[in-house]
Amino acid sequence: MPAHKTAETATRPARALRGKRARAAAEDSVPAEDAGGAEVFAVDTVNASFLESLLGYNARRASLSLVGVFMKCMTRFDLKIVEFSVLSLVGRNPGITSRQLCQQLDMLPPNMVGMIDALARRDFLERRPHPRDGRATGLYLTASGRELVDTAEPQLKSSEEKAVAHLSEAERVQLMHLLQKLYR
Amino acid sequence: MPAHKTAETATRPARALRGKRARAAAEDSVPAEDAGGAEVFAVDTVNASFLESLLGYNARRASLSLVGVFMKCMTRFDLKIVEFSVLSLVGRNPGITSRQLCQQLDMLPPNMVGMIDALARRDFLERRPHPRDGRATGLYLTASGRELVDTAEPQLKSSEEKAVAHLSEAERVQLMHLLQKLYR
DNA sequence: TATTGTTATACTCTATAACTATA
DNA sequence: TATAGTTATAGAGTATAACAATA
């Protein structure tokens, strides 16, 4: 999935989750006038009805909510989410190239280099030559990389399960299905 | 929803959407050996089964997909998504303060200042004193800001509708419900 | 000629500290 | 003492161009 990016940066999903429950309500306008005679109001409860009517807005907030759960879960391993994703992918795809990782994780090659360097320096993965392409480099988990992935994956899974425990199994299946239908 | 951020930056949702359909498949390993005698493989089809088993991963990709639709839709107005969000909120909440916008949109006050300045310079909104709090500033759409919002909102709505047209009305309602259940 | 990995670098977005005016 | 808005700045994350080695 190569191309150019968009704009949905978010390093703090926690925030989006504690937002005011500002539904379509009265706007609590308290009319008055400023010096120039223009009307001025005080907003008591924020009305976000339009944004909240968009699937995209709700998908983003739901996404940020779970991203927050993942981030918190990964702190104990001192891993960012993309770093874990790289290790998980390398674990299931020994010999994967950085180009393939970039495609899978929607990153640009120049920005992958440093991450792989860092993970290699921490002895979680290593580079070996590609069997058929002299330009490429295959990536492999080290023993401690394998140990990390095998520990982290189940913890991620169970932290997500805890986070969505208030949904029934049927709802989770349905949600997964609908989400995939949305982007596939 | 104040606090600190996380890490899900994405300026290019388009990419995530064109990703390989790498389901849990054979790993297409082509065993060989490198100079040191270690085994090397070539990965043909990427196996992303673990990531794809996470609701969070799927929610993020779905979110990025719709964010991409929104971005493209807003280019004709030369607006970023957050800029549109600000205008939409100001439109429904005349007199809203920058602090309230920050809470609603999960932004930090210092990063809101420049955006409001820019939107004011483009004559889409203006600041007026707050009727009851001398520290605060109320935000209001100008006539052209109102015109912009009234034009952009229906276009965003219909571009999303087009993007999710392959879901039935019942599915969209169900998805909206489940997403809100996830983060509220 | 095209592609992989890489360097260098610019740009955008996000975060923290500190200041002022007001509450 | 606390809060709203602001400034300045640091730090991530993302972007493009260009190069050497290989296809």
Side-chain angles (χ1 to χ4, degrees), chain A residues 1-23 27 30 32 34 38-68 70-71 81 84-85 88-89 92-96 100 102-108 128-132 140 153 156-157 160 164 166-167 171-172 174-184, chain B residues 1-23 27 30 32 34 38-68 70-71 81 84-85 88-89 92-96 100 102-108 128-132 140 153 156-157 160 164 166-167 171-172 174-184:
Chain A
M1 42 199 159
H4 11 246
K5 281 241 173 163
T6 319
E8 174 190 326
T9 314
T11 326
R12 342 183 306 266
R15 214 120 34 110
L17 316 177
R18 295 188 244 120
K20 278 267 180 54
R21 298 295 167 74
R23 317 285 170 75
E27 269 157 36
V30 181
D34 76 348
E39 274 192 310
V40 293
F41 305 91
V43 172
D44 186 34
T45 312
V46 174
N47 175 355
S49 57
F50 177 75
L51 296 181
E52 287 172 356
S53 79
L54 295 170
L55 263 178
Y57 178 84
N58 289 281
R60 176 161 194 274
R61 296 214 27 193
S63 158
L64 290 178
S65 165
L66 289 177
V67 163
F70 290 168
M71 272 196 22
I81 294 180
F84 163 78
S85 302
S88 174
L89 286 170
R92 275 184 172 62
N93 303 273
I96 193 172
Q100 289 173 309
C102 284
Q103 289 173 342
Q104 192 66 43
L105 297 176
D106 189 27
M107 287 181 61
L108 294 171
R128 298 183 202 156
H130 190 282
R132 297 194 310 261
Y140 300 82
E153 283 189 352
L156 247 197
K157 200 72 176 143
E160 171 168 290
V164 301
H166 59 297
L167 274 71
E171 285 177 320
R172 283 185 290 233
Q174 174 76 347
L175 179 54
M176 184 77 97
H177 169 71
L178 291 173
L179 289 173
Q180 291 179 347
K181 202 164 171 181
L182 214 55
Y183 74 79
R184 276 190 171 156
Chain B
M1 41 197 161
H4 11 245
K5 281 240 174 163
T6 319
E8 173 191 327
T9 314
T11 328
R12 343 182 305 266
R15 224 153 348 131
L17 316 177
R18 296 188 242 122
K20 278 268 182 52
R21 297 296 168 73
R23 316 286 171 75
E27 269 159 35
V30 179
D34 76 349
E39 275 193 309
V40 293
F41 305 92
V43 172
D44 187 35
T45 311
V46 175
N47 175 355
S49 57
F50 177 74
L51 296 181
E52 287 171 357
S53 78
L54 295 170
L55 264 178
Y57 178 83
N58 289 282
R60 177 160 193 274
R61 295 209 36 186
S63 158
L64 289 179
S65 165
L66 290 177
V67 163
F70 289 167
M71 272 196 22
I81 294 180
F84 163 79
S85 302
S88 174
L89 285 170
R92 275 184 173 62
N93 303 274
I96 193 173
Q100 289 173 308
C102 284
Q103 289 174 341
Q104 192 67 43
L105 298 175
D106 189 27
M107 287 181 61
L108 293 171
R128 297 182 201 156
H130 190 282
R132 296 193 310 261
Y140 300 82
E153 282 188 351
L156 246 197
K157 200 72 175 142
E160 172 168 291
V164 302
H166 59 296
L167 274 71
E171 285 178 321
R172 284 185 291 234
Q174 174 76 346
L175 180 54
M176 185 76 98
H177 170 72
L178 292 173
L179 288 172
Q180 290 179 349
K181 200 163 172 181
L182 214 55
Y183 73 79
R184 275 190 173 156

